[in-house]
Each structure stands twice: as structure tokens, then as C-alpha cells.
Amino acid sequence: MQREQEVATLHKALGRLSAENREVLILSRFQELKYEEIARVMNTTEGAVKVRVHRALNELKTIYLRIEN
């Protein structure tokens, strides 16, 4: 039951991310693409992808904790 609630909260938090941050997380975490592959898809550098993933995860964490409380 608790796990289902955590998953639902995660989905809500993902829905509140900016489109760019949601895209990079979906590609990296759910579709399990390598940063090099994401860089090609997004027409950017691998370094930029790493920064975007880091920022997106921080934003997701902030939103998740806000929803949870």
C-alpha cells in the first residue's frame, strides 16, 4: 500500500516537472539511454545532459517532498 502511494506521488511529481527536465529523466532513467545517446537525441553535448539530469533530479526531489508533506 505504501509503495503504491510512493509511486503515485512520484508520477505526480514527474508531471509537475518542466517538459525539458521530464524528457531528460524519462530518457535516462526509464528508457535507460546512455548520456551519449541522449545528447544525440537532444542535439546537445554529453556534459549538458549530465547537468540537466542532475538538475532534473534535484527538482524532482523538491517537488516530491512538497507533495508528500
Side-chain angles (χ1 to χ4, degrees):
M1 181 79 132
Q2 181 181 357
R3 176 85 171 138
E4 291 174 11
Q5 186 175 11
E6 290 171 352
V7 170
T9 303
L10 179 59
H11 281 281
K12 279 184 190 177
L14 277 169
R16 294 182 186 178
L17 284 176
S18 66
E20 182 178 285
N21 283 346
R22 186 171 42 254
E23 178 183 27
V24 78
L25 283 183
I26 288 170
L27 292 173
S28 67
R29 297 304 192 256
F30 297 104
Q31 294 186 2
E32 298 179 355
L33 294 180
K34 296 179 181 181
Y35 289 159
E36 179 183 338
E37 296 169 311
I38 297 169
R40 279 196 304 267
V41 168
M42 298 182 82
N43 195 30
T44 190
T45 66
E46 190 174 338
V49 171
K50 289 177 183 179
V51 169
R52 288 179 184 176
V53 168
H54 178 74
R55 289 178 180 167
L57 287 171
N58 283 336
E59 182 183 356
L60 181 64
K61 178 182 176 183
T62 300
I63 293 169
Y64 181 93
L65 292 174
R66 253 190 263 143
I67 292 171
E68 194 175 53
N69 294 325

